[in-house]
Amino acid sequence: MLEILSRSFALKHAQGGRRPKLPLEEQLLATLEYIREYRTYAHIATSYQIDESNIYRIIRWVEDTLVRDGMFSLPGCKALLKSDTEYEVVLIDATESPIERPKRGKNVTTAERRRDTP
């Protein structure tokens, strides 16, 4: 992963430019933390002591670069359908059941019934 990022970084900054606040290793680590641990951008930004918008840009760039390379992209839908893998399916019954509620036109409210009950 780091080799892919270094090649892309070299192409991106071939003309020069500002040095990043985080080295590529830490950028990759921040991205893996985001993907694996479901941490928020704000939490990761606090860990690396940079702004939340910078972390967002870094993670977006790393993800896009790795997917664009093709080594880490997932197979398409047709490739999954052609495979011989059998999938187990679980069905969940989620039918609606009526809820007992007082009717709208009924004059007797719950508070009145409680008051009248000894």
Side-chain angles (χ1 to χ4, degrees), residues 79-104:
L80 292 175
L81 291 175
K82 290 180 183 177
S83 71
D84 295 332
T85 308
E86 291 185 23
Y87 297 100
E88 184 176 328
V89 178
V90 177
L91 294 176
I92 298 174
D93 183 19
T95 56
E96 293 184 26
S97 57
I99 300 173
E100 294 181 24
R101 296 185 182 160
K103 302 296 178 196
R104 278 190 167 194

Side-chain angles (χ1 to χ4, degrees), residues 52-87:
E52 186 176 346
S53 61
N54 286 340
I55 280 292
Y56 172 75
R57 268 187 259 122
I58 287 169
I59 291 174
R60 264 311 278 282
W61 177 77
V62 170
E63 286 177 339
D64 292 345
T65 304
L66 293 176
V67 168
R68 208 176 315 117
D69 182 63
M71 188 175 206
F72 297 99
S73 59
L74 296 173
C77 182
K78 291 180 182 177
L80 292 175
L81 291 175
K82 290 180 183 177
S83 71
D84 295 332
T85 308
E86 291 185 23
Y87 297 100

Side-chain angles (χ1 to χ4, degrees), residues 17-64:
R18 189 174 174 172
R19 297 190 58 79
K21 291 186 176 186
L22 290 179
L24 285 177
E25 294 86 5
E26 290 188 7
Q27 290 181 16
L28 179 60
L29 184 61
T31 304
L32 292 175
E33 286 176 5
Y34 174 73
I35 293 171
R36 176 74 171 117
E37 299 173 4
Y38 302 111
R39 294 173 68 191
T40 61
Y41 293 122
H43 192 245
I44 297 171
T46 306
S47 299
Y48 290 99
Q49 299 173 350
I50 61 175
D51 197 42
E52 186 176 346
S53 61
N54 286 340
I55 280 292
Y56 172 75
R57 268 187 259 122
I58 287 169
I59 291 174
R60 264 311 278 282
W61 177 77
V62 170
E63 286 177 339
D64 292 345

